[in-house]
Amino acid sequence: GPGDIAFDAGLERLYVGSGGTNEVLTFEASNGAFLVDFVRQNTGGLIKVRGLAFHPGGDLLVVSQGSHQVLRYSGLTSGALVQILADDDDIQNNRAVAATAAGDVFIAVPSGGNLKIRRYNGTTGEFVQEFVDENIFFLGSLLVPDMTANDDGDLFLTFEISGFKGI
């Protein structure tokens, strides 16, 4: 069913990803009216949609957890696939993606008690660095459902560790 959401830069459209139907829908932000299937069901390479974020150029980044990829769709057309931004087996555990104003793309990859945040070049998709690689196993099982970045490039994560939720 519906899960992850993101607003476009102008806050005019709400994008809703559905992991159950493998699609991204758009709605009018002001009144909730359905607009269009931005990425149609079972097309565009989506398998188990998770995280959504907008790249500074207006393209939509979508975590396809089932294919272990982060896909980039044109924000100027109705969801045309632009590129496979990241393709990594560890993405199977991911739910969160964020893009900075500078164009860097960050992917949170939690696994048990370990958290990795990987930085990718938002244009080429090239892996840049392990931005965070921390073993926090002593805190219990970790889930990072969402992540965002501000204009200064600071990352903000929501998390859940053994039932405790926070930012």
Side-chain angles (χ1 to χ4, degrees):
D4 295 284
I5 63 172
F7 284 97
D8 65 359
L11 300 177
E12 296 172 3
R13 292 184 178 194
L14 174 65
Y15 292 72
V16 178
S18 175
T21 58
N22 302 317
E23 64 187 329
V24 178
L25 308 172
T26 56
F27 298 86
E28 184 70 40
S30 64
N31 61 20
F34 174 75
L35 294 172
V36 67
D37 290 339
F38 185 73
V39 179
R40 294 192 191 304
Q41 185 175 4
N42 298 318
T43 65
L46 292 178
I47 304 171
K48 200 172 180 184
V49 175
R50 287 297 180 240
L52 301 176
F54 276 93
H55 191 268
D59 291 342
L60 182 66
L61 305 174
V62 182
V63 174
S64 179
Q65 193 176 45
S67 64
H68 313 163
Q69 298 171 322
V70 174
L71 305 173
R72 183 175 174 175
Y73 297 91
S74 174
L76 303 176
T77 64
S78 187
L81 180 63
V82 174
Q83 77 180 121
I84 297 172
L85 188 67
D87 192 346
D88 186 330
D89 282 344
D90 284 344
I91 293 174
Q92 67 183 326
N93 298 318
N94 177 39
R95 292 185 58 95
V97 62
T100 66
D104 291 325
V105 173
F106 292 88
I107 301 169
V109 185
S111 179
N114 194 46
L115 172 64
K116 293 181 180 182
I117 298 178
R118 296 187 173 149
R119 188 173 112 197
Y120 291 83
N121 180 303
T123 302
T124 66
E126 180 182 346
F127 172 77
V128 176
Q129 76 178 119
E130 292 284 354
F131 188 70
V132 172
D133 188 357
E134 294 293 328
N135 185 337
I136 52 175
F137 184 72
F138 65 92
L139 294 174
S141 183
L142 173 70
L143 174 66
V144 178
D146 204 5
M147 177 170 61
T148 192
N150 65 15
D151 289 343
D152 294 329
D154 299 322
L155 293 178
F156 299 88
L157 290 79
T158 59
F159 65 89
E160 182 175 342
I161 300 173
S162 299
F164 175 78
K165 298 177 182 178
I167 296 177

